[in-house]
Amino acid sequence: MTHAHDKERQEAMDVAESAREQQWSHPSFAASLFAGTFDPDLVFPYPEQPEADRAKGEAFAAEIERFLLTHHDAEKADRDGVMPDEVIDGLIEMGAFALKIPEKYGGKGFSQANYNRVVSRAASYCASTAVWLSAHQSIGVPNPLKMFGNDEQKARLFPRLANGELSAFALTEPGVGSDPAKMETHAVRSPDGKGWLISGKKLWCTNGPIADILIVMARTPSEVVDGREKKRITAFIVERAWKGIAVEHRCQFMGLRSIQNGVLVFDQVYVPNENVLWGEGKGLKLALITLNSGRLTLPACCSGVARSSLRIARMWAKERVQWGAPIGKHEAVASKLAFMASHSFAMDSITEFATALVDRGDADVRLEAAMAKLFCSVTLETILNELVQTRGGRGFEESQSLRARGETPWPVERMYRDARINTIVEGTTEILHLFLAREALDFHLSKAGDLVLKKLPFGQLVKIAAKCAAFYPGWFLKQFLPGGKSLPDGVPATLARHLAFVRKTAKKLARTTFVKMLRHGPTLERRELLLNRVVDVGIELTVMSATCSRATMMLKKNPNDASPAELADLFCRMARRRIAVAFDGMSDNDDRTVVAVANGVLEGRYAWQEYGFIDPLAREEIMKAKDRGATAERDAAGSQRDAAKVRSAPQS
């Protein structure tokens, strides 16, 4: 890697590091696992939603279900690529776009649990509908305005949003995905000092083409800290009606065909000072904090689709008979059903756990929320892949085609397409691994980071080393010793042994992470495959714990029904096998060879392997050449006509 790349990478890391939450003001179950501590008090008893609040959310979820079934043809909207106005108007009228707006401003004032319940229900029927709702409320204006807006901003904007004006969040740019240091959209002070002028282009802005109010992230003038430039990003509340905003393009996708997503251009858009949200330079931090709770909507949606997938698979596996028995009785299909049932239960468990913590407000959920998003989006991909395989050709066939020939029109093909975005949007799987790795290392970085990762004067190194020498020997020894808080009463034996495994493995994970940090030093941040394995183990342990806790709670409520414990047991068995593979891969892997071959691909060393195919872009060049030829012919013909006119013109 060149010096320029090193500098660019460091700049990006500095921007991201300055935006992350530096302190752990509340406990985090996942964070404690990475530090080697299994604290059952943070996950037991399983946090339940108050019954009155649950009933309120369930009633509205049932209402939105009735509305969608009677007024919204999801298959037609997918084919046409348009969400009908009457559907959006109906959702606005019933208050579905005002779920997170406080009641005093005309909204529903729903808890995070009820909001997730409603959007999850919508997603199980039509993912595009769920995106309309969540893009407006999870990351659009309502959520960050509720968290960071001042009283004047809330009083001015919440009533408008409650009455049906829609919103969007504009962050991504054509050349900037997850690297905010490269953001090009910028804002400069207006000449009168009373506002800002924003210019730039935003890509993939969901709801953007139709939004009335947007939150736009833009670079504002940098400041110098310790002799180094510190780039700053600020969040602005922007009105769509203002001069200088244009929709350049509406994007079309593999799935989610009826959402509104596009490219927005800002040309010297004037924004008054009172529309700066939270404060200058706090935009990226605002986005990250908002996503801690906002991104929980996505795993909730994934869970809804997973439950729908399980039902379709169960019904088909009982109905379809091959070789004298329903296909669900054959082990090859039975394994798929078991995976879908156990893992959809785990998806519900981690999502509802993290959601309850948000509503309680007494825990730090940055890790749990990111884990829920990563785990649920990846797991749903597997579940839907298994569903398509279980349905065979019917899983690949469009529902309208199935209906036309008299078969049950389960929309598996659409579900599969719609779900593919989930591992990309609101933090790709790769970026979330890096985010979680940074947070997982925070325990060690806060104590030994300067010693291992930085080049400091000898005197400072000695002081840091002395502190580490006083702490780490005792801590490291504890990671080999049994012990810890005992489990609460009522945990069934089948699950208690899994939780004992979590306790033991958390210690192994903590000491392994520390050893890897010592071994790799400053290069650890680039060992992404290694860090991914560390993170994956932490996720599995966290989901196992939440799943066992939820099953225990359900068993206490209904002691005669052991089915939740059965699902939790199977999930934990499978998770433990994945954990074993991850640990093996930390010391026995092909990472260096993988990276070497990848570099060879980039350098063109294996270009000879790229043979015998038709380049789809070649047609683009052919068509361009034809257009140039046609243009040249028209120009030549025009020149000939002009020449003929000159020759035939009367001579003076």
Side-chain angles (χ1 to χ4, degrees):
M1 187 175 292
T2 66
H3 175 70
H5 288 160
D6 281 336
K7 182 179 179 182
E8 188 174 287
R9 182 187 183 95
Q10 186 60 49
E11 183 181 64
M13 291 181 64
D14 289 344
V15 172
E17 185 67 17
S18 65
R20 66 177 288 271
E21 295 177 81
Q22 304 289 333
Q23 303 298 323
W24 295 86
S25 55
H26 294 291
S28 165
F29 175 74
S32 69
L33 288 179
F34 284 117
T37 301
F38 169 69
D39 187 349
D41 294 342
L42 296 178
V43 71
F44 284 91
Y46 191 78
E48 294 186 74
Q49 184 180 6
E51 190 53 43
D53 192 51
R54 175 185 289 274
K56 178 181 176 182
E58 186 57 40
F60 193 85
E63 182 182 348
I64 203 170
E65 179 178 333
R66 288 191 297 271
F67 173 80
L68 291 176
L69 289 174
T70 55
H71 292 81
H72 179 36
D73 185 343
E75 296 301 307
K76 185 176 187 302
D78 179 74
R79 290 193 303 273
D80 296 345
V82 176
M83 184 67 70
D85 289 341
E86 55 267 28
V87 174
I88 299 301
D89 291 342
L91 292 170
I92 290 174
E93 185 176 347
M94 70 169 58
F97 282 95
L99 301 179
K100 302 194 81 172
I101 296 174
E103 291 183 78
K104 73 175 185 177
Y105 296 109
K108 294 289 185 181
F110 272 15
S111 62
Q112 184 70 33
N114 278 341
Y115 171 68
N116 282 1
R117 174 174 282 104
V118 171
V119 182
S120 175
R121 188 75 59 89
S124 70
Y125 175 72
C126 173
S128 290
T129 301
V131 170
W132 274 82
L133 295 172
S134 63
H136 166 66
Q137 297 176 91
S138 296
I139 58 174
V141 175
N143 200 30
L145 181 62
K146 181 180 178 180
M147 297 176 71
F148 303 106
N150 58 43
D151 291 341
E152 184 277 329
Q153 290 170 336
K154 291 176 181 179
R156 174 161 49 94
L157 297 172
F158 269 146
R160 292 172 54 186
L161 295 166
N163 288 328
E165 293 193 42
L166 300 183
S167 69
F169 183 83
L171 172 64
T172 305
E173 300 181 1
V176 181
S178 301
D179 183 359
K182 290 185 177 180
M183 185 176 292
E184 294 182 357
T185 298
H186 59 277
V188 296
R189 287 282 186 184
S190 61
D192 60 8
K194 296 180 180 180
W196 298 80
L197 297 172
I198 298 180
S199 295
K201 181 182 292 189
K202 294 295 184 180
L203 173 65
W204 296 327
C205 187
T206 305
N207 283 4
I210 50 84
D212 302 289
I213 309 171
L214 307 100
I215 289 182
V216 180
M217 295 293 176
R219 279 188 56 189
T220 45
S222 302
E223 61 180 352
V224 178
V225 179
D226 297 329
R228 295 176 59 185
E229 179 189 14
K230 180 181 179 182
K231 292 184 177 180
R232 299 198 295 177
I233 296 170
T234 301
F236 295 90
I237 301 170
V238 179
E239 303 263 359
R240 173 68 182 285
W242 291 344
K243 182 181 178 181
I245 303 176
V247 179
E248 185 177 86
H249 175 73
R250 183 192 168 193
C251 303
Q252 304 289 337
F253 300 107
M254 174 195 301
L256 304 177
R257 297 276 179 83
S258 58
I259 67 170
Q260 284 282 348
N261 182 293
V263 179
L264 304 183
V265 177
F266 302 86
D267 183 12
Q268 295 286 292
V269 178
Y270 177 79
V271 183
N273 288 331
E274 55 266 28
N275 276 36
V276 171
L277 188 58
W278 197 15
E280 188 178 348
K282 295 183 177 181
L284 189 57
K285 191 167 188 175
L286 175 149
L288 293 177
I289 295 175
T290 299
L291 283 172
N292 283 340
S293 60
R295 65 163 49 106
L296 279 172
T297 312
L298 192 142
C301 291
C302 289
S303 296
V305 177
R307 293 192 295 272
S308 176
S309 301
L310 177 61
R311 179 175 178 273
I312 294 171
R314 176 176 63 83
M315 295 178 70
W316 178 244
K318 289 175 62 178
E319 172 188 332
R320 180 68 166 171
V321 175
Q322 294 284 280
W323 301 299
I327 60 173
K329 293 293 185 180
H330 298 291
E331 286 192 355
V333 175
S335 65
K336 301 181 190 302
L337 298 177
F339 179 92
M340 294 168 72
S342 60
H343 282 64
S344 64
F345 181 76
M347 290 167 68
D348 284 342
S349 299
I350 185 60
T351 301
E352 292 178 15
F353 172 68
T355 299
L357 297 183
V358 169
D359 283 334
R360 280 193 344 202
D362 60 354
D364 191 312
V365 298
R366 74 183 88 162
L367 289 183
E368 286 81 358
M371 286 178 170
K373 192 276 181 185
L374 198 159
F375 175 80
C376 291
S377 60
V378 170
T379 303
L380 180 61
E381 269 197 339
T382 303
I383 286 176
L384 282 170
N385 192 58
E386 298 286 43
L387 175 60
V388 170
Q389 193 68 23
T390 300
R391 286 277 288 157
R394 292 168 177 82
F396 193 68
E397 188 173 1
E398 291 185 351
S399 61
Q400 62 173 335
S401 178
L402 291 167
R403 182 184 293 105
R405 58 187 189 81
E407 293 217 27
T408 305
W410 281 314
V412 173
E413 174 267 344
R414 172 170 62 86
M415 293 164 64
Y416 188 81
R417 283 189 289 105
D418 285 346
R420 185 58 189 87
I421 190 61
N422 292 326
T423 57
I424 299 171
V425 72
E426 291 188 28
T428 65
T429 296
E430 294 75 19
I431 290 300
L432 284 180
H433 268 109
L434 293 177
F435 168 78
L436 287 166
R438 171 61 187 86
E439 299 298 347
L441 289 170
D442 193 58
F443 174 79
H444 295 301
L445 293 178
S446 64
K447 293 174 171 58
D450 290 344
L451 180 66
V452 177
L453 303 180
K454 294 184 178 180
K455 295 180 179 180
L456 296 176
F458 180 75
Q460 293 185 39
L461 290 176
V462 170
K463 291 181 180 179
I464 296 172
K467 290 182 180 179
C468 290
F471 171 79
Y472 271 107
W475 175 87
F476 196 70
L477 178 61
K478 287 181 181 178
Q479 306 315 308
F480 289 92
L481 300 177
K485 290 184 178 180
S486 59
L487 295 176
D489 295 334
V491 179
T494 54
L495 303 185
R497 66 186 186 89
H498 294 308
L499 293 169
F501 171 85
V502 172
R503 176 189 286 115
K504 179 180 68 175
T505 307
K507 294 176 180 289
K508 180 180 179 181
L509 178 63
R511 67 177 185 256
T512 301
T513 303
F514 178 64
V515 169
K516 296 300 181 184
M517 190 175 80
L518 290 180
R519 177 184 175 186
H520 297 289
T523 66
L524 180 63
E525 67 185 40
R526 298 176 188 168
R527 299 297 305 273
E528 294 178 8
L529 297 178
L530 171 62
L531 292 174
N532 285 356
R533 298 182 186 99
V534 170
V535 167
D536 287 341
V537 171
I539 292 174
E540 297 284 9
L541 295 177
T542 302
V543 179
M544 285 176 66
S545 302
T547 301
C548 288
S549 178
R550 180 165 175 251
T552 300
M553 176 268 291
M554 296 174 72
L555 193 60
K556 286 182 177 180
K557 287 186 171 182
N558 190 356
N560 296 321
D561 183 6
S563 59
E566 293 167 1
L567 293 180
D569 176 52
L570 178 57
F571 170 76
C572 289
R573 288 170 178 265
M574 293 182 171
R576 288 172 68 164
R577 296 183 190 280
R578 293 191 292 265
I579 288 171
V581 171
F583 271 119
D584 288 343
M586 290 184 199
S587 55
D588 182 12
N589 57 64
D590 303 310
D591 293 356
R592 294 188 183 279
T593 303
V594 166
V595 172
V597 171
N599 287 333
V601 171
L602 294 174
E603 295 164 4
R605 192 180 309 148
Y606 313 115
W608 49 266
Q609 179 59 26
E610 304 166 8
Y611 72 95
F613 73 98
I614 298 176
D615 185 353
L617 296 183
R619 176 170 171 77
E620 298 287 326
E621 295 303 319
I622 292 172
M623 292 299 100
K624 288 178 182 178
K626 282 186 176 181
D627 288 341
R628 288 194 297 269
T631 300
E633 288 181 9
R634 287 195 299 269
D635 290 345
S639 298
Q640 290 175 359
R641 287 194 297 272
D642 292 342
K645 289 179 182 178
V646 170
R647 288 194 299 271
S648 62
Q651 302 296 316
S652 58

